[in-house]
Amino acid sequence: MTFLDEVKTAVTPRAALLIAGVLGLQLLFIASYVGALHSPRPTDVKVAVVAPGQLAGQLAAELRQLPGEPLSPRTLPDEGTARHQMLNRDIDAALIIDAQGTTDTLLVASGQGSTETSVLVSVFDQIEQQQRRGLRLDDVAPASGHDAHGLSSFYLVVGWCVGGYLCAGALAISAGARPANRGRATIRLLVTAVYAIVGGLLGAVIAGPILSALPGSLFGLWGLGALTVFAVGAATLALQSVFGIVGIGVAILLIVIAGNPSAGGAVPIPLLPDFWRSIGPALPPGSATWVARSIAYFHGNAIAVRLIVLSAWAVGGTLLLLVMSSLRGRGGRGGRGERGGKAAGPDGESGEPPGTAPGTAHAPDGSDPGPSGA
């Protein structure tokens, strides 16, 4: 046998295609993370100005005309309203003008990420220096002392998302990517749900009571973790039911390559380029990171829309998986061979190649061949 024959035997056409797909994911990973995070700068950051009389409108107009349009200012009647809107996550900062003195106050919230806070302080400090005025900082929602950069919520969510798609991947590797019928699909969803409940709790306990990285409600974080893990897991199971084992790669594309850099974790959403800023809130990492920060630092405010997004991923993945598995069951691809010891693959072949132990066979496309595995 020649060397070329050995190569053809070792690297099948299917393997070559998978390697090409992995290379594509690698390049997309680099392009996505470097493209999103290499040069953060503010764009239309929501800020407020509180000042007496017409001064507030004049200052807001000046802020709106700054080069590059970094700020999207509004005027508010008083400091109390500004603090309320910050805690409700309607604005990211507020400048309180002291008409009787020479030092103004900038309300910030380091709990939403130190990067955004630093950028806003830099912008307003420069403005105040030009006016020969001083600037005092007031942190309305300070990050925990064990969460100095406000990143713990993001890393917690990343861990939950990784658990979700790895759980679905483990089910695919052990019993085939496409469940043979709706019953098998339901079992996988139940396994994923149990895993999500356990994984959500343990993640919340580690980030909360054990490491003291995140304050806020432990039960709130637990619920968020369970929903996040199940949403990602159900979506990955659904993608596997459509694309086979390649569905894991599609899930990584959506969750890791597109979702993580656009989540507002390492770089808050107002500092991201337009593309990532637009897709982040629609993907699980972005929605879950927003909710985790709200639970930890903003009294659980402004989370309804993001929870709806996560629920849509969970429900959508569940429905798609059940529909695809029902279609497979009606097509007669699962259910044969339970008594005969052999299950038919999707092309009508035996699910057990020579030398394979009964009950462990996979179809050629990685599908669940029949009743032998969940």
Side-chain angles (χ1 to χ4, degrees), residues 343-355:
D347 301 318
E349 299 177 359
S350 169
E352 297 181 10

Side-chain angles (χ1 to χ4, degrees), residues 71-244:
L71 305 177
S72 176
R74 67 183 70 175
T75 61
L76 293 177
D78 52 57
E79 182 177 342
T81 302
R83 290 179 177 273
H84 174 75
Q85 289 201 9
M86 287 195 67
L87 289 175
N88 202 45
R89 309 198 72 177
D90 294 325
I91 58 175
D92 298 302
L95 181 64
I96 314 298
I97 302 298
D98 182 3
Q100 306 300 320
T102 59
T103 300
D104 301 322
T105 300
L106 180 65
L107 303 182
V108 295
S110 60
Q112 62 193 2
S114 62
T115 303
E116 182 177 1
T117 300
S118 298
V119 169
L120 288 172
V121 170
S122 177
V123 170
F124 280 100
D125 189 53
Q126 184 176 1
I127 295 171
E128 292 290 290
Q129 287 181 9
Q130 292 173 355
Q131 301 296 325
R132 299 183 181 276
R133 297 179 65 84
L135 187 66
R136 182 179 70 88
L137 298 183
D138 187 344
D139 200 341
V140 174
S144 164
H146 298 279
D147 184 23
H149 299 288
L151 294 176
S152 297
S153 54
F154 171 62
Y155 291 134
L156 175 61
V157 167
V158 168
W160 281 332
C161 290
V162 168
Y165 65 72
L166 287 184
C167 176
L171 290 171
I173 292 172
S174 64
R178 297 183 176 104
N181 52 53
R182 189 167 58 185
R184 298 294 182 77
T186 302
I187 292 173
R188 294 190 186 195
L189 287 170
L190 291 174
V191 170
T192 303
V194 173
Y195 177 89
I197 292 171
V198 175
L201 174 61
L202 295 180
V205 169
I206 291 173
I210 293 180
L211 298 179
S212 300
L214 289 179
S217 168
L218 174 63
F219 290 101
L221 289 174
W222 178 12
L224 170 64
L227 177 59
T228 301
V229 174
F230 183 78
V232 173
T236 305
L237 290 172
L239 291 169
Q240 290 171 175
S241 72
V242 176
F243 300 106

Side-chain angles (χ1 to χ4, degrees), residues 306-328:
R306 307 306 176 102
L307 290 177
I308 290 174
V309 171
L310 290 171
S311 298
W313 279 85
V315 173
T318 297
L319 293 178
L320 180 57
L321 174 62
L322 293 177
V323 168
M324 293 300 297
S325 60
S326 295
L327 293 176
R328 285 178 56 80

